[in-house]
Amino acid sequence: MDPFRIDVPQVDLDELRHRLARTRWPGELPGVGWAYGVSEPYLRELVEYWQSDFDWRAQEARLNAFPQFTTTIDGQRVHFLHVRSPEPGAKPLILTHGWPSTVADFLDVLGPLTDPRAHGGDPADAFHVVAPSVPGFAFSGPTAEPGWNTRRTARAWAELMRRLGYERYGAQGGDFGSIVSPELGRVAPSSVLGVHVNAVANAGVPTAPGDLERLSEEDRKRARENEVWWYAHSGYATQMATRPQTLAYALNDSPAGQLAWNLEWFVDWDPSATRQTAVSWDAILTDVTIFWLTGTAGSAARLYLEAGQDGWGERPAPSGVPTAVANFRGDHALRGLAELSNTVTRWSEYDTGGHFASLQAPDVLVRDIREFFREL
């Protein structure tokens, strides 16, 4: 375990601003808004903010306020935050982010999770938090060989927790983390106390014959609506799951292009029409800047191909580990589909937040995590 500190050379930040200033804008059709993709006026404004006003050093200091380490597992460098609670009876908890996120998404929940006493909570709800960067992402990237799918990542997480001396722990994750965390329960069922997920990535649409028949009539209707929605919004996933290397050249060469590629998820495609809570520009740009500075946008995209080859759309048998699902505003998970591969013991619906709950509704997410593990 090697201590790690982020210290980006100033020349790299100057080069980023130089590239942003020289962005070649493609233009767009008049009056189409976001119908064809990211709106150019919106992106221009955000790029100008990134170039002139975004304070990377402030975000770097926020990250460096928490203990960070790197270690090598299965031939891959793994970066992680390890924030121990001051409470002696704290429970270990491993947090897993998704795409296009980094561990920076967890900064607002680390304090309340590790030190509830200092945040108006019950000290009995305290956690020792481990938050790794997914292999291929940010400071855990790039990956050096094929095969880093969600199952291999879960095995790496089990080894990481073993090295840290945690024999019994909980797992939490959103987006791709909602696949890795239950998989950790399958890899190490005797070690995982419980699994808590949000933004469940594989429980919104049917993937096998007979899936719909397992649902209520109301959920069948929602599943069909989800299929229509996903068809209209899945182009990014199809590209990354089939030809990520082709995309990587553009992402690694144009910061404005990389921002546009990541932006749709963060703004829910149209900021003027979204139902989700807005994600702050600083949070968006922190993630994008980390990808840019580490040169891992293309490496992170490979996770879609690796996971697809591993059959992530399939439904493995439940591990038996108690699992909680928190559905936030705009999430598409259906309990009937989630139960096909998870032992769901808690299901919560919230009309707030959004796909990135740790950024959009951190207080609600923390409360749901606490309540679930308190029951266990």
Side-chain angles (χ1 to χ4, degrees):
M1 301 289 178
D2 297 316
F4 181 84
R5 182 176 177 83
I6 305 168
D7 186 13
V8 175
Q10 185 60 41
V11 65
D12 291 350
L13 300 178
D14 294 341
E15 195 258 354
L16 169 59
R17 292 192 176 95
H18 178 69
R19 284 176 176 263
L20 290 170
R22 300 181 69 248
T23 300
R24 294 179 61 198
W25 297 100
E28 67 178 16
L29 294 172
V32 299
W34 288 70
Y36 282 63
V38 172
S39 166
E40 185 170 310
Y42 185 96
L43 186 62
R44 280 179 177 269
E45 188 177 358
L46 184 51
V47 165
E48 174 62 29
Y49 178 80
W50 193 5
Q51 180 189 351
S52 305
D53 299 313
F54 174 68
D55 188 348
W56 163 254
R57 293 302 184 195
Q59 302 305 320
E60 186 179 69
R62 287 187 72 208
L63 282 158
N64 283 334
F66 298 98
Q68 300 172 65
F69 303 86
T70 61
T71 188
T72 300
I73 301 175
D74 194 10
Q76 176 66 36
R77 183 176 75 160
V78 173
H79 161 266
F80 62 98
L81 307 181
H82 186 199
V83 189
R84 288 187 59 83
S85 171
E87 303 296 340
K91 297 176 286 291
L93 178 68
I94 184 166
L95 305 179
T96 306
H97 64 82
W99 184 91
S101 295
T102 69
V103 292
D105 285 16
F106 296 131
L107 293 183
D108 288 339
V109 302
L110 290 177
L113 287 174
T114 58
D115 194 2
R117 188 193 302 269
H119 292 80
D122 185 343
D125 290 328
F127 297 93
H128 300 307
V129 173
V130 179
S133 297
V134 172
F137 286 64
F139 306 106
S140 286
T143 45
E145 61 181 3
W148 275 101
N149 50 40
T150 53
R151 187 170 302 162
R152 189 173 178 181
T153 300
R155 290 198 298 266
W157 281 192
E159 172 61 15
L160 175 61
M161 296 302 274
R162 186 196 67 78
R163 292 185 187 182
L164 292 172
Y166 295 134
E167 297 179 356
R168 194 90 165 120
Y169 49 86
Q172 200 284 330
D175 190 76
F176 256 106
S178 73
I179 302 174
V180 173
S181 298
E183 191 62 32
L184 181 54
R186 298 182 188 97
V187 168
S190 61
S191 296
V192 179
L193 173 69
V195 173
H196 183 286
V197 290
N198 65 284
V200 182
N202 59 352
V205 298
T207 59
D211 278 1
L212 283 177
E213 283 66 31
R214 300 170 182 267
L215 303 179
S216 66
E217 186 57 39
E218 179 183 351
D219 277 356
R220 287 180 198 172
K221 179 176 180 293
R222 290 177 61 191
R224 294 188 184 101
E225 291 171 350
N226 288 347
E227 284 184 304
V228 173
W229 178 89
W230 180 240
Y231 178 80
H233 297 88
S234 61
Y236 80 100
T238 301
Q239 175 68 34
M240 294 196 294
T242 55
R243 309 294 287 174
Q245 185 63 29
T246 303
L247 175 67
Y249 302 108
L251 296 181
N252 205 56
D253 191 59
S254 169
Q258 182 184 298
L259 174 59
W261 187 257
N262 291 9
L263 190 61
E264 288 185 333
W265 276 103
F266 282 120
V267 301
D268 196 23
W269 287 278
D270 184 351
S272 66
T274 180
R275 292 179 61 246
Q276 297 188 27
T277 303
V279 178
S280 76
W281 278 8
D282 279 356
I284 294 170
L285 292 176
T286 297
D287 281 336
V288 175
T289 304
I290 290 173
F291 281 123
W292 177 261
L293 293 172
T294 57
T296 55
S299 175
R302 291 199 288 261
L303 176 61
Y304 278 73
L305 185 146
E306 304 285 6
Q309 290 182 340
D310 193 42
W312 74 277
E314 299 173 2
R315 304 198 187 281
S319 65
V321 175
T323 300
V325 177
N327 249 10
F328 288 85
R329 182 180 292 179
D331 285 339
H332 296 270
L334 301 174
R335 182 164 187 165
L337 295 180
E339 287 178 336
L340 296 178
S341 52
N342 300 279
T343 305
V344 178
T345 60
R346 176 185 172 93
W347 187 275
S348 306
E349 300 272 353
Y350 296 106
D351 191 28
T352 187
H355 188 80
F356 303 92
S358 62
L359 297 174
Q360 296 167 299
D363 53 340
V364 181
L365 178 63
V366 167
R367 185 176 70 240
D368 203 85
I369 294 170
R370 287 173 176 172
E371 290 176 354
F372 171 61
F373 285 101
R374 189 185 305 151
E375 294 168 2
L376 298 182

